[in-house]
């Protein structure tokens, strides 16, 4: 571990601030979304500018300090936090500058999805972004980026047109279709393996400001019927429909009947991103599959829709998450899911299906580093709880459920949903693009300086 006086030298090199174990803010500064990850960095460098990022990276390398990169701190596996090393934190670099004429946005490497959605929606524009506003744009984009607009607009990476990247040697390059095109290809799904992104450039698309939103909760006894209906509905749904199905505890709030609180419900949540009345007609059948506990079909501002999950997975609680890609929701899988979710282990646990299809699947799996274009859904089994005494029960539920679903999966996994103990799934995360990614890694980061991520080892002899 670097001595405190050595670390202090970094404070003099950057315009941002440095937090060390001796500081009052230390515990808050080292906190990340997943409370299961409890690491104690030697320092956290809050960077204000690209130059700070360069200095922090150089400092870590000169002093042989392990380092991690943090944007929104939502990484499931906790790779943004390093024990006894330096956290290069970009969370002060949250600017989003929109050019409404060109329909482009320049987004800071530490921006959160909420920043992105708010600023782009001022101009009636958007790109696909995930469903929790405090997730980082950087981590989400580098893994692919799914969300309610994915079937209509593709993944977040499908709207990425360029990035400013600090490479392992401290140099700064632009990656886009004409400059460092191989690097640009790798950034679209290859995770944080290739450099530190201090700016993203996105193409934007007209969305909203209102979209037709749907939120329906059915009692657990209707789960089979709802899942079956959902599967058949999504097979023919227009691409404007982005709708997830979730098995979740009934929230302990009105208007849910008190006797249902905490029991498993099957919920549908999403939107139709297009003409409002067409959306109402398209989504209406989902509101009467059985007798709902709650059914809301109404226009909402897209920004508000994007905040609707903000309390579902609070920062700092304990989480354990696994997932698979699947080609379809078969009868066997449906039975398995219903059986495994009757008793969910923690109050923040869920199982959910996230649809792909549409614009996601039209793109060649080799066109970007994200390879899972053929799968129709991902299925996640995620446990969330508060008390460390419940770790074992929650982790065991997720693992056993995950094992049971494995025979129904494509074998692939979304790198952004991998937990800390899934190192052996890295190749499955990059699939048929793995070898090319290793070659790009060898070119841009031959010494595997960026290794605290879903790590791709550089190809040898490339
Ligand atoms: C509650 C919740 C909801 C989610 N919803 C969605 C969703 O709807 N759609 C979806 O696609 N994903 C979703 N995810 C997964 C999410 O995309 C990943 O967890 C992602 O890694 C989070 O990004 P972050 O920047 O917040 O993470 P961080 O923990 O800050 O970073 C994770 C990793 O990303 C890399 N990284 C971060 N910043 C940079 C940078 N500037 N330059 C280079 N590398 C960087 C590093 O390797 C780092 O270890 C969700 C996650 C959570 C916890």
């Amino acid at each position: 571990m670097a001595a405190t006086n050595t670390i202090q030298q970094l404070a003099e090199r950057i315009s941002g601030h440095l937090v060390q174990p001796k500081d009052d803010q230390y515990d808050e500064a080292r906190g990340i979304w997943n409370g299961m990850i409890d690491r104690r960095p030697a320092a956290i460098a809050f960077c204000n500018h690209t130059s700070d990022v360069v200095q922090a990276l150089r400092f870590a390398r000169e002093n042989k300090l392990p380092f991690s990169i943090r944007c929104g701190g939502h990484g499931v596996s906790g790779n943004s936090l390093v024990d006894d090393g330096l956290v290069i934190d970009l969370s002060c670099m949250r600017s989003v500058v929109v050019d409404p004429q060109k329909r482009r946005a320049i987004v800071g490497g530490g921006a959160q999805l909420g920043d992105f959605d708010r600023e782009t929606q001022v101009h009636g524009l958007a790109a696909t972004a995930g469903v929790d506003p405090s997730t980082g744009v950087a981590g989400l984009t580098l893994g692919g980026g799914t969300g309610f607009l994915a079937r209509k607009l593709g993944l977040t990476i499908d709207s990425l047109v360029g990035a400013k990247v600090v490479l392992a040697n401290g140099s700064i390059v632009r990656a886009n279709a004409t400059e460092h095109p191989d690097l640009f290809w790798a950034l679209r799904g290859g995770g944080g393996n290739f450099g530190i992104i201090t700016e993203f450039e996105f193409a934007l698309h007209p969305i909203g400001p209102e979209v037709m939103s749907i939120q329906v909760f059915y009692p657990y006894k209707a789960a089979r019927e709802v899942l079956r209906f959902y599967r058949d509905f999504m097979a023919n749904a227009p691409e404007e429909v982005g709708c997830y199905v979730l098995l979740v505890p009934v929230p302990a709030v009105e208007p849910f009947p008190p006797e249902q609180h905490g029991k498993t419900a099957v919920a549908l949540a999403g939107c139709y991103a297009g003409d409002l009345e067409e959306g109402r007609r398209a989504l209406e059948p989902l509101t009467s599959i059985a007798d709902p506990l709650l059914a809301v079909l109404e226009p909402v501002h897209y920004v508000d829709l994007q905040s609707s999950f903000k309390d579902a997975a609070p920062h700092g609680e304990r989480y354990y998450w696994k997932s698979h890609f699947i080609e379809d929701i078969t009868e066997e899988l449906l039975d398995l899911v219903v059986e495994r979710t009757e008793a969910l282990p923690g109050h923040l646990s869920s199982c959910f299906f996230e649809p792909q299809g549409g614009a996601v699947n039209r793109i060649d799996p080799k066109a970007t580093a994200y390879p899972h274009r053929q799968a129709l859904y991902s299925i996640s089994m995620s446990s969330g709880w508060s008390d460390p005494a419940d770790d074992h029960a929650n982790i065991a539920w997720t693992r056993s459920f995950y094992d049971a679903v494995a025979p129904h999966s494509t074998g692939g996994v979304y790198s952004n949903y991998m937990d800390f103990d899934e190192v052996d799934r890295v190749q499955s995360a990059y699939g048929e693009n793995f070898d090319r990614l290793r070659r790009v890694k060898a070119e841009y980061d031959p010494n595997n300086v960026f290794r605290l991520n879903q790590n791709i080892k550089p190809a040898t002899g490339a």
Side-chain angles (χ1 to χ4, degrees), residues 32-33 68-81 90 109-111 113 129-132 134-142 144-147 156 191-193 195-198 200 244 309 313 321 354 414 416-417 452-454:
I32 56 171
W33 171 77
S68 64
I69 302 154
R70 186 167 66 178
C71 172
H74 265 224
V76 177
S77 60
N79 278 328
S80 61
L81 208 57
L90 285 83
L113 300 181
V131 299
D132 184 318
S134 53
T135 303
V137 170
L140 176 128
T141 303
L142 293 169
T146 62
T156 310
N193 275 285
I196 309 177
I197 318 312
T198 58
F200 293 87
Y244 297 12
F309 277 81
W321 188 339
E354 219 175 334
Y414 182 28
N416 274 351
Y417 291 170
L452 213 51
N453 43 45
Q454 303 307 343

Side-chain angles (χ1 to χ4, degrees), residues 90-108:
L90 285 83
S91 63
C92 299
M93 299 171 67
R94 284 171 64 171
S95 77
V96 178
V97 179
V98 179
D99 181 334
Q101 269 73 44
K102 291 190 179 147
R103 292 187 178 164
R104 290 286 169 98
I106 306 283
V107 180

Side-chain angles (χ1 to χ4, degrees), residues 173 232 246 390 409:
V173 297
D232 298 342
L246 309 93
D390 297 331
S409 81

Side-chain angles (χ1 to χ4, degrees), residues 286-426:
L286 295 175
T287 62
S288 54
I289 307 170
D291 256 352
L293 298 168
L294 172 83
V296 183
L297 180 59
E298 63 182 7
V300 300
H301 281 99
Y302 173 71
V303 177
D304 296 333
L305 173 80
Q306 286 291 86
S307 295
S308 53
F309 277 81
K310 79 174 173 1
D311 300 323
H315 182 101
E317 298 283 7
R318 303 175 83 75
Y319 297 98
Y320 187 73
W321 188 339
K322 280 189 180 294
S323 73
H324 290 288
F325 277 110
I326 54 170
E327 269 163 18
D328 205 359
I329 307 176
T330 59
E331 285 295 310
E332 295 79 8
L333 177 60
L334 193 148
D335 282 342
L336 181 61
V337 166
V338 173
E339 191 188 296
R340 295 284 174 143
T341 53
E342 182 169 10
L344 292 164
H347 66 292
L348 300 167
S349 301
S350 67
C351 166
F352 59 91
F353 291 90
E354 219 175 334
Q356 295 203 125
V360 176
N361 294 38
R362 271 200 299 278
I363 292 176
D364 184 336
K366 291 192 165 166
T368 65
Y370 178 88
H372 310 288
R373 303 277 185 177
Q374 309 305 327
L376 270 188
Y377 295 96
S378 69
I379 173 175
S380 288
M381 43 289 292
S382 165
S383 36
W385 66 103
S386 301
D387 186 347
D390 297 331
D391 286 2
H392 177 73
N394 280 275
I395 291 172
W397 175 81
T398 299
R399 283 191 178 146
S400 150
F401 191 0
Y402 161 83
D403 286 344
V405 173
H408 303 271
S409 81
T410 64
V413 58
Y414 182 28
S415 64
N416 274 351
Y417 291 170
M418 284 164 71
D419 219 312
F420 57 86
D421 56 356
E422 300 200 278
V423 178
D424 59 345
R425 295 184 86 195
V426 167

Side-chain angles (χ1 to χ4, degrees), residues 31-45:
I32 56 171
W33 171 77
N34 192 350
M36 287 284 284
I37 314 292
D38 181 19
R39 296 191 187 134
R40 301 187 64 82
I44 301 156

